[in-house]
Structure formats: C-alpha cells, structure tokens
Amino acid sequence: VEQQEKWLFEIISSKSGKVSELIEKGEYGKGTAVFAQVFAGPLHEFFDHVLVNCEDPALRENRMALVFAVNRLYTSGLADLSLLSRIDEE
C-alpha cells in the first residue's frame, strides 16, 4: 500500500541474491557490508513511514512478512543472535 513497503519488497526481490551468494561463499564481512548498504536506507524509511502493526490483519501479515524476509536473509546464514546466551543467564 505505502510506497516504502513497495520499495522494500522490490529491494528484497532484486538484491537479496547478492547477499545470499556472499554468505554461501563464506564471505561474511562482504555479505554484512552489502546487506547494510542495500537495506539500511529502505528499512529506516519503512519503519519511519509504515505502521507494521496496523488494524488490517492481511496488511499487517504482509508487512510482518517483509520484515521477516529481511531478518531471515541476514540471520539465517550470518548472525542468528537468538543463539547467543544472555549475560544474566550465565
């Protein structure tokens, strides 16, 4: 619906392959740099202008799916921070 979510979807569709390719090759530093370069601006715009947790359930699910896709692109092969233990749990 919003231009920022359309833009984010287009970027996921067109740029995620490069990030995935670098991760699969084990080029984690380059993968991180490309991820940051590609997604930093669009994600800031998205979160500044789009209400993810909106009233419309279908729209909310779609927006959450966009965020999840960006998250999984990075965390699935590079930095799954959920695997780290918390300091206070040690």
Side-chain angles (χ1 to χ4, degrees):
V1 173
E2 302 293 334
Q3 183 58 40
Q4 292 82 4
E5 64 191 306
K6 292 175 184 176
W7 184 34
L8 184 58
F9 177 77
E10 290 171 10
I11 291 170
I12 292 168
S13 300
S14 65
K15 303 291 184 178
S16 62
K18 181 63 176 172
V19 175
S20 296
E21 177 184 321
L22 290 167
I23 292 169
E24 288 171 11
K25 289 181 179 179
E27 297 183 32
Y28 305 119
K30 287 182 183 178
T32 298
V34 170
F35 180 86
Q37 179 184 22
V38 168
F39 289 103
L43 281 173
H44 284 287
E45 286 291 315
F46 179 80
F47 286 117
D48 284 347
H49 299 283
V50 176
L51 178 61
V52 176
N53 210 12
C54 65
E55 296 280 329
D56 181 337
L59 190 54
R60 180 176 54 241
E61 288 297 319
N62 187 55
R63 290 173 176 176
M64 291 176 111
L66 279 173
V67 173
F68 183 75
V70 174
N71 179 53
R72 291 307 302 159
L73 174 62
Y74 191 73
T75 61
S76 67
L78 265 173
D80 188 351
L81 300 179
S82 70
L83 298 176
L84 297 176
S85 66
R86 292 180 41 184
I87 293 173
D88 61 347
E89 291 177 352
E90 294 179 3

